[in-house]
Amino acid sequence: MSARYFCSELSSFNFKQYWRLYLLSRLVQLHVYLYIIYMDNSLSRMMIICGHHQKVGYQENGEAFLPRGKRMAGTGSFSEILDGENNVYKYYSEGEWRKSVSGKSVAIVNPTTRKTQYKVQACSQAEVNKVMEAAKIAQKAWAKTPLWKRAELLHKAAAILKEHKHPIAECLVKEIAKPAKDSVTEVVRSGDLISYCAEEGVRILGQGTFLVSDSFPGNERTKYCLASKVPLGVVLAIPPFNYPVNLAVSKIAPALIAGNSIVLKPPTQGAVSCLHMVHCFHLAGFPKSLINCVTGKGSEIGDFLTMHPGVNCISFTGGDTGISISKKAGMIPLQMELGGKDACIVLEDADLDLAAANIVKGGLSYSGQRCTAVKIVLVVESVADALMEKVNAKVAKLTVGPPEEDCDITPVVSESSANFIEGLVMDAKEKGATFCQTYKREGNLIWPLLLDNVRADMRIAWEEPFGPVLPVIRIGSVEEGINHCNASNFGLQGCVFTKDINKAMIISDAMETGTVQINSAPARGPDHFPFQGLKDSGIGSQGITNSINMMVKVKSTVINLPTASYTMG
Ligand code: NAP
């Protein structure tokens, strides 16, 4: 809640005037309040303080950013992406914003209000075919565009994206109930990712390998091999709802710098944020058909897209859907970033304040809807009570409410997610877990909950709640913790809290996860770090450099000499 105050001294002010002012303020959608701090006996003179309440978010500098009533999404520079007549956002194909001939739309439900917030086009298969054909042609020309020019355009898109962080953040708040401040951060981080990618791309794609033949037994130096990196073609990018902008650009930017074209299928919750982001690329002046964005439900157009013969690479982030896509996709490179059940192992010698802070932040930020959220705490019994006391004290301070007010805990993305989380909680209750807080839910809003004394026979010990519910297992030994972590079908990240670096290294080596954080919660960033999951958590590796390398293939040219050629001497 923010309030701006200004004082004025009014003469002959009365309640009729108050109500006029109030009604006027409602017209401009401000909540005005007046405090009478002084009045004389006749009410003819009053000193008032008046101001207005607004539900707002905050920028990094603390300024209010989302004044109620000032809806910026779909207006101004973004007006062309909205079919104002039907109030449906358009899809992006052949460099233009278009209405689908299907005449159908998909509703995006605001997780907080549970009412339709936006609508997007339900693209048809024929429209997908057209996009694929055009993307294939555009890619050929783009591959011939000098690297520095590709980078220049990416830098431009990054700047435009950051310039428009507020309307895009507004969409994130409304579509996925991400706290206002974090929504702005996601857009800014995405701009930075694009710029870093442009810089990294010109360096790593500007280098190839030169090999000579006589290092392999039986060969003379008669062959020179020049190996360089060439684009794959059309990259299909499918991000999830929880970071729709950031995880879209983490696919788009590496694909483009490497000379590929893009077909983006945004998540339904998050689609409008993605469409705004794509418009920033449009405004930057990328060639038409190089970037395309088709909307529609994954369950309806997903298979058609992922099995489309025009697709040369799939970069997917999401849940188990990724496993079925991997099985159906043809002979094309796959980058799969899937679910996780990140374990946090706390040893006897851990700094418990540090561990508690990381468990709460790592487990409950964005209401636990992060792939790298701490999803199970494995604490050595001797320090479990002390740790739980510290963790519970921090949980008690979390604010719960709407994302516009920048609350720590906001509604989860959908009713079905909330029901799923509730199912895990009830299963744990039946099987005897200790509830550290009372379970409370209103609509999609679930209050943060720690479940102590969780056992291996409870679903919450293994499944990913993707909500503000954190299970804790008390362990008798570190080995027990490592075994639990390794018995999971997931292997995204894990973390260990100890002051002994030698123990930490041994545990890190033993944990079957793509990354282990020592003395910090799991995290995907910084975005240039390698990021990968083992087992059901993924295929391949992300992070800017790895993503660029994944979206190219090596092409060799071998020069065959008639006689062996040795250097000097
Ligand atoms: P999801 O349900 O798997 O959806 C991910 C994306 O796949 C969405 O764009 C969805 O579109 C689309 N989709 C659905 N069915 C499809 C199909 N048959 N073919 C192609 N695409 C299809 O995941 P989510 O609920 O959005 O995200 C949560 C999950 O993502 C969690 O499991 C989380 O751990 C994981 N995640 C992993 C990482 C990582 O880097 N490892 C990062 C973030 C999230 P619709 O929305 O239209 O259905």
Side-chain angles (χ1 to χ4, degrees), residues 237-264:
I238 306 183
F241 82 82
N242 61 343
Y243 288 87
V245 174
N246 186 261
L247 288 171
V249 301
S250 74
K251 303 168 188 316
I252 295 171
L256 291 179
I257 192 69
N260 301 288
S261 60
I262 272 282
V263 175
L264 171 70

PDB file of all heavy atoms in Angstrom, residues 237-264:
ATOM      1  N   ALA A 237      10.850 -22.862 -29.418  1.00  0.00           N
ATOM      2  CA  ALA A 237      11.083 -22.502 -28.010  1.00  0.00           C
ATOM      3  C   ALA A 237       9.773 -22.595 -27.236  1.00  0.00           C
ATOM      4  O   ALA A 237       8.777 -21.979 -27.621  1.00  0.00           O
ATOM      5  CB  ALA A 237      11.634 -21.082 -27.926  1.00  0.00           C
ATOM      6  N   ILE A 238       9.788 -23.386 -26.171  1.00  0.00           N
ATOM      7  CA  ILE A 238       8.578 -23.510 -25.335  1.00  0.00           C
ATOM      8  C   ILE A 238       8.966 -23.274 -23.874  1.00  0.00           C
ATOM      9  O   ILE A 238       9.556 -24.142 -23.222  1.00  0.00           O
ATOM     10  CB  ILE A 238       7.917 -24.908 -25.492  1.00  0.00           C
ATOM     11  CG1 ILE A 238       7.655 -25.212 -26.974  1.00  0.00           C
ATOM     12  CG2 ILE A 238       6.616 -24.980 -24.678  1.00  0.00           C
ATOM     13  CD1 ILE A 238       6.942 -26.531 -27.237  1.00  0.00           C
ATOM     14  N   PRO A 239       8.673 -22.107 -23.362  1.00  0.00           N
ATOM     15  CA  PRO A 239       8.960 -21.838 -21.938  1.00  0.00           C
ATOM     16  C   PRO A 239       7.773 -22.181 -21.044  1.00  0.00           C
ATOM     17  O   PRO A 239       6.659 -22.361 -21.529  1.00  0.00           O
ATOM     18  CB  PRO A 239       9.236 -20.328 -21.935  1.00  0.00           C
ATOM     19  CG  PRO A 239       8.489 -19.777 -23.109  1.00  0.00           C
ATOM     20  CD  PRO A 239       8.233 -20.901 -24.090  1.00  0.00           C
ATOM     21  N   PRO A 240       7.992 -22.227 -19.727  1.00  0.00           N
ATOM     22  CA  PRO A 240       6.896 -22.514 -18.783  1.00  0.00           C
ATOM     23  C   PRO A 240       6.295 -21.211 -18.252  1.00  0.00           C
ATOM     24  O   PRO A 240       6.776 -20.132 -18.571  1.00  0.00           O
ATOM     25  CB  PRO A 240       7.622 -23.243 -17.664  1.00  0.00           C
ATOM     26  CG  PRO A 240       8.961 -22.583 -17.622  1.00  0.00           C
ATOM     27  CD  PRO A 240       9.291 -22.134 -19.022  1.00  0.00           C
ATOM     28  N   PHE A 241       5.294 -21.359 -17.394  1.00  0.00           N
ATOM     29  CA  PHE A 241       4.588 -20.175 -16.909  1.00  0.00           C
ATOM     30  C   PHE A 241       5.394 -19.358 -15.908  1.00  0.00           C
ATOM     31  O   PHE A 241       5.175 -18.160 -15.758  1.00  0.00           O
ATOM     32  CB  PHE A 241       3.235 -20.587 -16.278  1.00  0.00           C
ATOM     33  CG  PHE A 241       3.366 -21.059 -14.847  1.00  0.00           C
ATOM     34  CD1 PHE A 241       3.430 -20.147 -13.797  1.00  0.00           C
ATOM     35  CD2 PHE A 241       3.471 -22.410 -14.541  1.00  0.00           C
ATOM     36  CE1 PHE A 241       3.578 -20.576 -12.482  1.00  0.00           C
ATOM     37  CE2 PHE A 241       3.624 -22.843 -13.237  1.00  0.00           C
ATOM     38  CZ  PHE A 241       3.680 -21.910 -12.198  1.00  0.00           C
ATOM     39  N   ASN A 242       6.322 -20.007 -15.174  1.00  0.00           N
ATOM     40  CA  ASN A 242       6.841 -19.309 -13.987  1.00  0.00           C
ATOM     41  C   ASN A 242       7.852 -18.204 -14.286  1.00  0.00           C
ATOM     42  O   ASN A 242       7.983 -17.262 -13.514  1.00  0.00           O
ATOM     43  CB  ASN A 242       7.378 -20.306 -12.948  1.00  0.00           C
ATOM     44  CG  ASN A 242       8.499 -21.142 -13.466  1.00  0.00           C
ATOM     45  OD1 ASN A 242       8.728 -21.243 -14.668  1.00  0.00           O
ATOM     46  ND2 ASN A 242       9.233 -21.766 -12.562  1.00  0.00           N
ATOM     47  N   TYR A 243       8.576 -18.323 -15.405  1.00  0.00           N
ATOM     48  CA  TYR A 243       9.444 -17.233 -15.872  1.00  0.00           C
ATOM     49  C   TYR A 243       9.209 -17.099 -17.368  1.00  0.00           C
ATOM     50  O   TYR A 243      10.121 -17.348 -18.170  1.00  0.00           O
ATOM     51  CB  TYR A 243      10.920 -17.528 -15.595  1.00  0.00           C
ATOM     52  CG  TYR A 243      11.297 -17.440 -14.126  1.00  0.00           C
ATOM     53  CD1 TYR A 243      11.156 -18.544 -13.289  1.00  0.00           C
ATOM     54  CD2 TYR A 243      11.773 -16.246 -13.579  1.00  0.00           C
ATOM     55  CE1 TYR A 243      11.479 -18.464 -11.942  1.00  0.00           C
ATOM     56  CE2 TYR A 243      12.095 -16.171 -12.231  1.00  0.00           C
ATOM     57  CZ  TYR A 243      11.947 -17.272 -11.425  1.00  0.00           C
ATOM     58  OH  TYR A 243      12.275 -17.191 -10.090  1.00  0.00           O
ATOM     59  N   PRO A 244       8.016 -16.722 -17.780  1.00  0.00           N
ATOM     60  CA  PRO A 244       7.705 -16.794 -19.209  1.00  0.00           C
ATOM     61  C   PRO A 244       8.594 -15.894 -20.062  1.00  0.00           C
ATOM     62  O   PRO A 244       8.987 -16.285 -21.168  1.00  0.00           O
ATOM     63  CB  PRO A 244       6.238 -16.354 -19.287  1.00  0.00           C
ATOM     64  CG  PRO A 244       5.953 -15.650 -18.018  1.00  0.00           C
ATOM     65  CD  PRO A 244       6.883 -16.198 -16.987  1.00  0.00           C
ATOM     66  N   VAL A 245       8.945 -14.732 -19.536  1.00  0.00           N
ATOM     67  CA  VAL A 245       9.762 -13.811 -20.339  1.00  0.00           C
ATOM     68  C   VAL A 245      11.221 -14.245 -20.299  1.00  0.00           C
ATOM     69  O   VAL A 245      11.873 -14.434 -21.327  1.00  0.00           O
ATOM     70  CB  VAL A 245       9.598 -12.354 -19.822  1.00  0.00           C
ATOM     71  CG1 VAL A 245      10.557 -11.409 -20.538  1.00  0.00           C
ATOM     72  CG2 VAL A 245       8.157 -11.897 -20.019  1.00  0.00           C
ATOM     73  N   ASN A 246      11.726 -14.478 -19.099  1.00  0.00           N
ATOM     74  CA  ASN A 246      13.141 -14.814 -18.967  1.00  0.00           C
ATOM     75  C   ASN A 246      13.482 -16.140 -19.643  1.00  0.00           C
ATOM     76  O   ASN A 246      14.502 -16.265 -20.323  1.00  0.00           O
ATOM     77  CB  ASN A 246      13.518 -14.848 -17.489  1.00  0.00           C
ATOM     78  CG  ASN A 246      15.000 -15.048 -17.305  1.00  0.00           C
ATOM     79  OD1 ASN A 246      15.430 -16.157 -17.053  1.00  0.00           O
ATOM     80  ND2 ASN A 246      15.778 -13.998 -17.478  1.00  0.00           N
ATOM     81  N   LEU A 247      12.608 -17.125 -19.456  1.00  0.00           N
ATOM     82  CA  LEU A 247      12.926 -18.426 -20.046  1.00  0.00           C
ATOM     83  C   LEU A 247      12.616 -18.469 -21.539  1.00  0.00           C
ATOM     84  O   LEU A 247      13.111 -19.345 -22.238  1.00  0.00           O
ATOM     85  CB  LEU A 247      12.214 -19.543 -19.289  1.00  0.00           C
ATOM     86  CG  LEU A 247      12.838 -19.779 -17.905  1.00  0.00           C
ATOM     87  CD1 LEU A 247      12.007 -20.719 -17.055  1.00  0.00           C
ATOM     88  CD2 LEU A 247      14.263 -20.303 -18.024  1.00  0.00           C
ATOM     89  N   ALA A 248      11.847 -17.495 -22.027  1.00  0.00           N
ATOM     90  CA  ALA A 248      11.684 -17.380 -23.488  1.00  0.00           C
ATOM     91  C   ALA A 248      12.945 -16.749 -24.080  1.00  0.00           C
ATOM     92  O   ALA A 248      13.520 -17.277 -25.039  1.00  0.00           O
ATOM     93  CB  ALA A 248      10.449 -16.554 -23.827  1.00  0.00           C
ATOM     94  N   VAL A 249      13.407 -15.649 -23.498  1.00  0.00           N
ATOM     95  CA  VAL A 249      14.589 -15.004 -24.089  1.00  0.00           C
ATOM     96  C   VAL A 249      15.851 -15.857 -23.904  1.00  0.00           C
ATOM     97  O   VAL A 249      16.772 -15.773 -24.712  1.00  0.00           O
ATOM     98  CB  VAL A 249      14.853 -13.560 -23.583  1.00  0.00           C
ATOM     99  CG1 VAL A 249      13.681 -12.650 -23.854  1.00  0.00           C
ATOM    100  CG2 VAL A 249      15.268 -13.509 -22.146  1.00  0.00           C
ATOM    101  N   SER A 250      15.858 -16.720 -22.886  1.00  0.00           N
ATOM    102  CA  SER A 250      17.039 -17.580 -22.709  1.00  0.00           C
ATOM    103  C   SER A 250      17.131 -18.610 -23.839  1.00  0.00           C
ATOM    104  O   SER A 250      18.141 -19.297 -23.990  1.00  0.00           O
ATOM    105  CB  SER A 250      17.019 -18.269 -21.346  1.00  0.00           C
ATOM    106  OG  SER A 250      16.060 -19.311 -21.349  1.00  0.00           O
ATOM    107  N   LYS A 251      16.066 -18.719 -24.632  1.00  0.00           N
ATOM    108  CA  LYS A 251      16.075 -19.595 -25.811  1.00  0.00           C
ATOM    109  C   LYS A 251      16.198 -18.751 -27.081  1.00  0.00           C
ATOM    110  O   LYS A 251      16.925 -19.096 -28.010  1.00  0.00           O
ATOM    111  CB  LYS A 251      14.779 -20.413 -25.869  1.00  0.00           C
ATOM    112  CG  LYS A 251      14.543 -21.244 -24.605  1.00  0.00           C
ATOM    113  CD  LYS A 251      13.130 -21.798 -24.577  1.00  0.00           C
ATOM    114  CE  LYS A 251      12.790 -22.452 -23.252  1.00  0.00           C
ATOM    115  NZ  LYS A 251      13.785 -23.320 -22.659  1.00  0.00           N
ATOM    116  N   ILE A 252      15.467 -17.624 -27.101  1.00  0.00           N
ATOM    117  CA  ILE A 252      15.435 -16.790 -28.309  1.00  0.00           C
ATOM    118  C   ILE A 252      16.812 -16.180 -28.601  1.00  0.00           C
ATOM    119  O   ILE A 252      17.295 -16.243 -29.734  1.00  0.00           O
ATOM    120  CB  ILE A 252      14.378 -15.656 -28.145  1.00  0.00           C
ATOM    121  CG1 ILE A 252      12.965 -16.251 -28.035  1.00  0.00           C
ATOM    122  CG2 ILE A 252      14.455 -14.663 -29.288  1.00  0.00           C
ATOM    123  CD1 ILE A 252      11.882 -15.244 -27.653  1.00  0.00           C
ATOM    124  N   ALA A 253      17.426 -15.588 -27.582  1.00  0.00           N
ATOM    125  CA  ALA A 253      18.675 -14.858 -27.828  1.00  0.00           C
ATOM    126  C   ALA A 253      19.810 -15.786 -28.307  1.00  0.00           C
ATOM    127  O   ALA A 253      20.456 -15.477 -29.318  1.00  0.00           O
ATOM    128  CB  ALA A 253      19.074 -14.070 -26.583  1.00  0.00           C
ATOM    129  N   PRO A 254      20.052 -16.934 -27.657  1.00  0.00           N
ATOM    130  CA  PRO A 254      21.112 -17.817 -28.181  1.00  0.00           C
ATOM    131  C   PRO A 254      20.795 -18.322 -29.584  1.00  0.00           C
ATOM    132  O   PRO A 254      21.686 -18.426 -30.432  1.00  0.00           O
ATOM    133  CB  PRO A 254      21.158 -18.990 -27.198  1.00  0.00           C
ATOM    134  CG  PRO A 254      20.328 -18.614 -26.043  1.00  0.00           C
ATOM    135  CD  PRO A 254      19.472 -17.456 -26.409  1.00  0.00           C
ATOM    136  N   ALA A 255      19.514 -18.610 -29.826  1.00  0.00           N
ATOM    137  CA  ALA A 255      19.141 -19.113 -31.156  1.00  0.00           C
ATOM    138  C   ALA A 255      19.445 -18.064 -32.217  1.00  0.00           C
ATOM    139  O   ALA A 255      20.028 -18.377 -33.268  1.00  0.00           O
ATOM    140  CB  ALA A 255      17.652 -19.470 -31.178  1.00  0.00           C
ATOM    141  N   LEU A 256      19.087 -16.829 -31.946  1.00  0.00           N
ATOM    142  CA  LEU A 256      19.258 -15.774 -32.951  1.00  0.00           C
ATOM    143  C   LEU A 256      20.732 -15.439 -33.174  1.00  0.00           C
ATOM    144  O   LEU A 256      21.168 -15.311 -34.319  1.00  0.00           O
ATOM    145  CB  LEU A 256      18.499 -14.516 -32.534  1.00  0.00           C
ATOM    146  CG  LEU A 256      16.965 -14.625 -32.558  1.00  0.00           C
ATOM    147  CD1 LEU A 256      16.341 -13.326 -32.107  1.00  0.00           C
ATOM    148  CD2 LEU A 256      16.439 -15.011 -33.941  1.00  0.00           C
ATOM    149  N   ILE A 257      21.496 -15.309 -32.111  1.00  0.00           N
ATOM    150  CA  ILE A 257      22.901 -14.940 -32.313  1.00  0.00           C
ATOM    151  C   ILE A 257      23.615 -16.046 -33.101  1.00  0.00           C
ATOM    152  O   ILE A 257      24.524 -15.789 -33.882  1.00  0.00           O
ATOM    153  CB  ILE A 257      23.626 -14.615 -30.975  1.00  0.00           C
ATOM    154  CG1 ILE A 257      24.983 -13.945 -31.229  1.00  0.00           C
ATOM    155  CG2 ILE A 257      23.843 -15.837 -30.098  1.00  0.00           C
ATOM    156  CD1 ILE A 257      24.912 -12.573 -31.790  1.00  0.00           C
ATOM    157  N   ALA A 258      23.142 -17.278 -32.908  1.00  0.00           N
ATOM    158  CA  ALA A 258      23.782 -18.402 -33.614  1.00  0.00           C
ATOM    159  C   ALA A 258      23.276 -18.555 -35.046  1.00  0.00           C
ATOM    160  O   ALA A 258      23.699 -19.467 -35.757  1.00  0.00           O
ATOM    161  CB  ALA A 258      23.545 -19.691 -32.826  1.00  0.00           C
ATOM    162  N   GLY A 259      22.364 -17.675 -35.474  1.00  0.00           N
ATOM    163  CA  GLY A 259      21.929 -17.706 -36.884  1.00  0.00           C
ATOM    164  C   GLY A 259      20.682 -18.524 -37.152  1.00  0.00           C
ATOM    165  O   GLY A 259      20.381 -18.851 -38.301  1.00  0.00           O
ATOM    166  N   ASN A 260      19.952 -18.872 -36.099  1.00  0.00           N
ATOM    167  CA  ASN A 260      18.708 -19.647 -36.265  1.00  0.00           C
ATOM    168  C   ASN A 260      17.501 -18.710 -36.317  1.00  0.00           C
ATOM    169  O   ASN A 260      17.577 -17.552 -35.906  1.00  0.00           O
ATOM    170  CB  ASN A 260      18.511 -20.582 -35.063  1.00  0.00           C
ATOM    171  CG  ASN A 260      19.658 -21.545 -34.904  1.00  0.00           C
ATOM    172  OD1 ASN A 260      19.813 -22.468 -35.687  1.00  0.00           O
ATOM    173  ND2 ASN A 260      20.497 -21.318 -33.890  1.00  0.00           N
ATOM    174  N   SER A 261      16.377 -19.241 -36.774  1.00  0.00           N
ATOM    175  CA  SER A 261      15.121 -18.506 -36.620  1.00  0.00           C
ATOM    176  C   SER A 261      14.345 -19.147 -35.472  1.00  0.00           C
ATOM    177  O   SER A 261      14.689 -20.235 -35.003  1.00  0.00           O
ATOM    178  CB  SER A 261      14.306 -18.514 -37.913  1.00  0.00           C
ATOM    179  OG  SER A 261      14.003 -19.837 -38.278  1.00  0.00           O
ATOM    180  N   ILE A 262      13.291 -18.465 -35.034  1.00  0.00           N
ATOM    181  CA  ILE A 262      12.579 -18.881 -33.810  1.00  0.00           C
ATOM    182  C   ILE A 262      11.082 -18.996 -34.043  1.00  0.00           C
ATOM    183  O   ILE A 262      10.477 -18.110 -34.661  1.00  0.00           O
ATOM    184  CB  ILE A 262      12.826 -17.828 -32.693  1.00  0.00           C
ATOM    185  CG1 ILE A 262      14.088 -18.143 -31.910  1.00  0.00           C
ATOM    186  CG2 ILE A 262      11.680 -17.729 -31.741  1.00  0.00           C
ATOM    187  CD1 ILE A 262      13.976 -19.245 -30.882  1.00  0.00           C
ATOM    188  N   VAL A 263      10.523 -20.091 -33.534  1.00  0.00           N
ATOM    189  CA  VAL A 263       9.074 -20.171 -33.378  1.00  0.00           C
ATOM    190  C   VAL A 263       8.840 -20.339 -31.877  1.00  0.00           C
ATOM    191  O   VAL A 263       9.287 -21.322 -31.278  1.00  0.00           O
ATOM    192  CB  VAL A 263       8.460 -21.350 -34.167  1.00  0.00           C
ATOM    193  CG1 VAL A 263       6.965 -21.465 -33.879  1.00  0.00           C
ATOM    194  CG2 VAL A 263       8.693 -21.170 -35.661  1.00  0.00           C
ATOM    195  N   LEU A 264       8.196 -19.354 -31.286  1.00  0.00           N
ATOM    196  CA  LEU A 264       7.937 -19.388 -29.843  1.00  0.00           C
ATOM    197  C   LEU A 264       6.497 -19.807 -29.593  1.00  0.00           C
ATOM    198  O   LEU A 264       5.571 -19.278 -30.195  1.00  0.00           O
ATOM    199  CB  LEU A 264       8.180 -17.988 -29.257  1.00  0.00           C
ATOM    200  CG  LEU A 264       7.760 -17.766 -27.800  1.00  0.00           C
ATOM    201  CD1 LEU A 264       8.660 -18.529 -26.832  1.00  0.00           C
ATOM    202  CD2 LEU A 264       7.802 -16.262 -27.452  1.00  0.00           C
TER     203      LEU A 264
END
